[in-house]
Amino acid sequence: MAGQWWTDDDQLLEVLRDALTSASEMPPGFVEAGKAVYAWRTIDAELAALTYDSAWEGAEVGATRAAESASLRRLTFASETLSIELELTGDEILGQVSPPQAGTVQLAAGADDLGTIPVDDLGFFVVRPVPSRPFRIICRTDSGAAALTGWVSP
């Protein structure tokens, strides 16, 4: 009889085990959708375009002389309200927000949050160590401005 399954403890435990197992199995599409939604958390930040990369200069110079790999890479990202200047060394990222103002910068690699660093009143910040994988910087100032850089490959 279909209505008497709960009288058998073994059968009840089997049904409960199946329910818990199926609840812990997450469909891959559901996980990807969750990651995509998380990426929208920066929708309020204005995209800052890469306007300068010191690596561009190395490509032009390389044709005329032997170029050694530089120990310092400079990048500038600009949006309507902010510009973010970065200097990448092997050990750290030195950054400045213009116009100078306090706030925070958050580093993200894909959906992973790599940490939030304070920006001082002069717009300076330091990130240690340099992330080992491509990352973005989300800058939020105390005045309410927000900018998101493009991907930076260390």
Side-chain angles (χ1 to χ4, degrees):
M1 192 182 289
Q4 294 182 354
W5 64 269
W6 64 85
T7 59
D8 181 3
D9 289 342
D10 291 333
Q11 203 172 12
L12 176 60
L13 288 173
E14 183 66 30
V15 169
L16 289 172
R17 189 176 305 112
D18 289 344
L20 290 173
T21 302
S22 64
S24 66
E25 296 172 359
M26 194 67 58
F30 189 75
V31 172
E32 291 304 316
K35 288 180 180 180
V37 167
Y38 182 73
W40 279 87
R41 73 192 185 288
T42 59
I43 194 65
D44 62 330
E46 186 179 354
L47 185 61
L50 179 63
T51 58
Y52 175 76
D53 185 344
S54 62
W56 295 339
E57 294 172 353
E60 297 168 3
V61 175
T64 58
R65 62 180 174 173
E68 293 183 22
S69 134
S71 60
L72 177 70
R73 181 176 175 203
R74 293 176 300 154
L75 302 158
T76 302
F77 294 90
S79 71
E80 294 264 337
T81 56
L82 296 174
S83 79
I84 303 166
E85 296 182 26
L86 304 174
E87 291 185 356
L88 281 76
T89 69
D91 302 329
E92 63 190 2
I93 301 170
L94 305 172
Q96 183 175 19
V97 176
S98 295
Q101 53 194 300
T104 60
V105 292
Q106 176 184 3
L107 275 72
D112 298 333
D113 181 7
L114 301 180
T116 302
I117 294 99
V119 177
D120 69 17
D121 292 340
L122 298 175
F124 289 104
F125 61 93
V126 178
V127 177
R128 289 186 189 105
V130 176
S132 59
R133 56 189 171 146
F135 63 92
R136 299 179 101 167
I137 293 180
I138 304 153
C139 178
R140 294 185 186 351
T141 66
D142 290 349
S143 66
L148 172 67
T149 70
W151 291 100
V152 177
S153 294

